[in-house]
Amino acid sequence: MNGATWHEAQSAPADLSGPDGWRDLAERFGTPTYVYDGDWLAGNLHALRAALHPALEVFFSLKSNPNRAVYDVLRSAGARAEVSSLAELRTVLDAGTDPADVVFLGPGKSAAEIEACVRAGLYAVVCESLPELALIDDAAARLGVRQRVLLRINPAYSVAGSRLTMGGKPRQFGIDEAAVPPAGALIRSYRHAVAAGVQVYMGTRILDHEVIVKNTAYVLRLAEHVAESTGIALDAVDIGGGLGVAYFDGEHDLDLDALAAGINPLVEDFARRHPGTRLLMESGRYLTAPGGTYLMRVRYIKESMGDRFAVADGGTHHHMAAVGIGSFVKRNFPVELLSRPVPPDAEAGPWTVAGPLCTPNDTVAKAVRLPDLAVGDLLGVRRSGAYGPSASPAYFLSHGYPAEVLVRRGTAYLVRRRDTVDDLLSRQATHPDLTAPALH
Ligand SMILES: *Cc1c(COP(=O)(O)O)cnc(C)c1O
């Protein structure tokens, strides 16, 4: 891998506790901007690690927020890394992460990705199919090393309570539970790809601790069965995760104490029976979502057929999840007025908060209760630290990626500068022939 191209972030004093601080941030860095609360990120991870059994290692899924500075904060608070692309891998290695604390996962790894994992000496490649195992073996043989592999299992069982279930169905992810025992001899035949563990990911956005406890019990048992039926060692078991956060009315955050009370005895029991086995948990959303606010400014106020609209400078292109594209029904992320103190007796009425894109889908919040809004007001979409711009169509209408700011210990750092028009156009190409007159 080549040298780093990271820049040192510009910084300024910051305070997220009141309207003055938010107005300062917007003035200094512009809008729309993602603002991450680094103190929250670190504190939340510390709380999670303190609640869970110490044998359970927390791996941060960079997919949920690939910003290097966010990762730096989480890493310094004890997170390990789960990555799924060359850029994510480079991010964590450039940050100085010990390769022994990195796993790489994904159903369609390229030869270049596999080779990069093996070269870097990652703790494990999570293998999603038997043909992939052969490719990992080839790459490791060429480089003359042995590469640890965790077998991702597509479980025969499905969990209720996850918003996106991963088990009990045909999937592109992992190897079917039933297909593993017959493949034992093949799996053991590879000399350079050493299968020595199991990974299972049962779903995402799980808010019921009992579902996660049941999943964990299932995965730990499954890992033992896989080891017994194939004869592989259990250097590690990755129990997945899928810890959810509440976004919508009627949802409640995961009860961390209840989760710990359910999971820790399972971990304790397993660790006692398998003292040398590492236990991994993966988490993205839970580690980042509540720590992020999408900050946008109201550009226009208008009324249409009795409904009040605030048209803001942010929308779908940066925050597809809040807009609800791909969701069955539009539900509102929490939206707040941040630039002015709101008197407790202020009348809150229904507003539609729309973005700047030329599509009716570009609606950030519908019938949301907000005080009387005015042009120039700053709105914050809360709980936006996960699956934000990197999971949105940032090029739609060619507005590009927003700025990202991280606030840590009273200082705001510009951790990604906003795309410029030059950034956006510089990757396109044309040719004089394309405007030449037709020959006949
Ligand atoms: C997306 C993903 C994660 C992270 O999921 P969250 O719900 O954000 O915690 C972890 N593991 C795997 C395999 C994933 O695909």
Side-chain angles (χ1 to χ4, degrees), residues 61 63-64 82 105 152 166 199 201 203-205 242-243 282-286 387:
S61 305
K63 177 180 79 182
S64 69
E82 183 242 294
L105 178 154
R152 179 168 184 178
M166 288 292 197
Q199 189 269 8
Y201 180 71
T204 185
R205 293 243 303 116
L243 277 56
E282 301 161 1
S283 180
R285 192 187 310 276
Y286 187 85
Y387 303 106

Side-chain angles (χ1 to χ4, degrees), residues 20 30 96 112 120 123 147 158 163 191 195 213 245 302 311 369 433:
D20 293 345
Y123 178 70
Q147 173 61 56
S158 167
R163 300 308 192 278
R191 298 272 69 97
V213 173
V245 305
K302 64 202 286 185
V311 184
R369 303 203 75 80
D433 289 358

Side-chain angles (χ1 to χ4, degrees), residues 105 175 178 183 204 272 340 400:
L105 178 154
I175 305 165
T204 185
R272 195 166 295 159
R340 294 185 273 128

Side-chain angles (χ1 to χ4, degrees), residues 153-437:
I153 311 295
N154 178 30
Y157 150 97
S158 167
V159 212
S162 165
R163 300 308 192 278
L164 180 69
T165 56
M166 288 292 197
K169 273 193 200 167
R171 288 282 177 200
Q172 71 266 48
F173 305 109
I175 305 165
D176 283 356
E177 186 174 339
V180 174
L186 175 67
I187 291 167
R188 282 196 322 275
S189 73
Y190 295 111
R191 298 272 69 97
H192 296 272
V194 183
V198 167
Q199 189 269 8
V200 183
Y201 180 71
M202 302 281 262
T204 185
R205 293 243 303 116
I206 306 172
L207 291 171
D208 178 350
H209 62 271
E210 281 177 24
V211 172
I212 298 173
V213 173
K214 270 190 212 153
N215 283 350
T216 304
Y218 183 85
V219 173
L220 293 174
R221 257 197 324 272
L222 174 61
E224 288 178 331
H225 288 159
V226 168
E228 279 157 24
S229 67
T230 59
I232 68 168
L234 274 188
D235 289 355
V237 179
D238 181 340
I239 63 167
L243 277 56
V245 305
Y247 292 113
F248 309 120
D249 278 350
E251 288 187 341
H252 299 284
D253 275 325
L254 203 52
D255 182 339
L256 181 55
D257 292 333
L259 176 69
I263 275 195
N264 289 352
L266 300 173
V267 171
E268 174 66 25
D269 177 57
F270 188 90
R272 195 166 295 159
R273 281 181 295 120
H274 303 271
T277 301
R278 282 177 85 173
L279 285 166
L280 289 59
M281 164 186 270
E282 301 161 1
S283 180
R285 192 187 310 276
Y286 187 85
L287 300 190
T288 52
T293 298
Y294 181 46
L295 183 65
M296 48 192 201
R297 198 182 280 284
V298 175
R299 283 186 177 154
Y300 298 94
I301 297 286
K302 64 202 286 185
E303 219 176 287
S304 171
M305 301 192 175
D307 281 5
R308 290 190 298 174
F309 286 77
V311 184
D313 56 7
T316 310
H317 53 313
H318 299 158
H319 203 334
M320 195 165 79
V323 169
I325 290 177
S327 308
F328 190 61
V329 282
K330 163 80 185 132
R331 293 187 290 177
N332 293 330
F333 268 51
V335 178
E336 276 175 54
L337 173 60
L338 294 178
S339 49
R340 294 185 273 128
V342 181
D345 57 347
E347 218 174 290
W351 285 87
T352 299
V353 178
L357 304 189
C358 308
T359 156
N361 291 330
D362 194 22
T363 299
V364 177
K366 247 194 161 103
V368 62
R369 303 203 75 80
L370 287 166
D372 279 350
L373 296 176
V375 170
D377 278 342
L378 294 171
L379 297 176
V381 185
R382 301 293 207 174
R383 305 205 143 216
S384 296
Y387 303 106
S390 71
S392 301
Y395 286 172
F396 192 33
L397 275 89
S398 299
H399 291 299
Y401 222 86
E404 294 180 298
V405 168
L406 184 140
V407 178
R408 180 80 167 124
R409 301 183 182 116
T411 302
Y413 301 88
L414 177 64
V415 296
R416 181 180 171 117
R417 70 168 173 76
R418 186 182 308 286
D419 277 358
T420 63
V421 171
D422 282 344
D423 291 331
L424 291 161
L425 298 187
S426 64
R427 307 195 66 79
Q428 296 191 31
T430 185
H431 194 281
D433 289 358
L434 298 175
T435 50

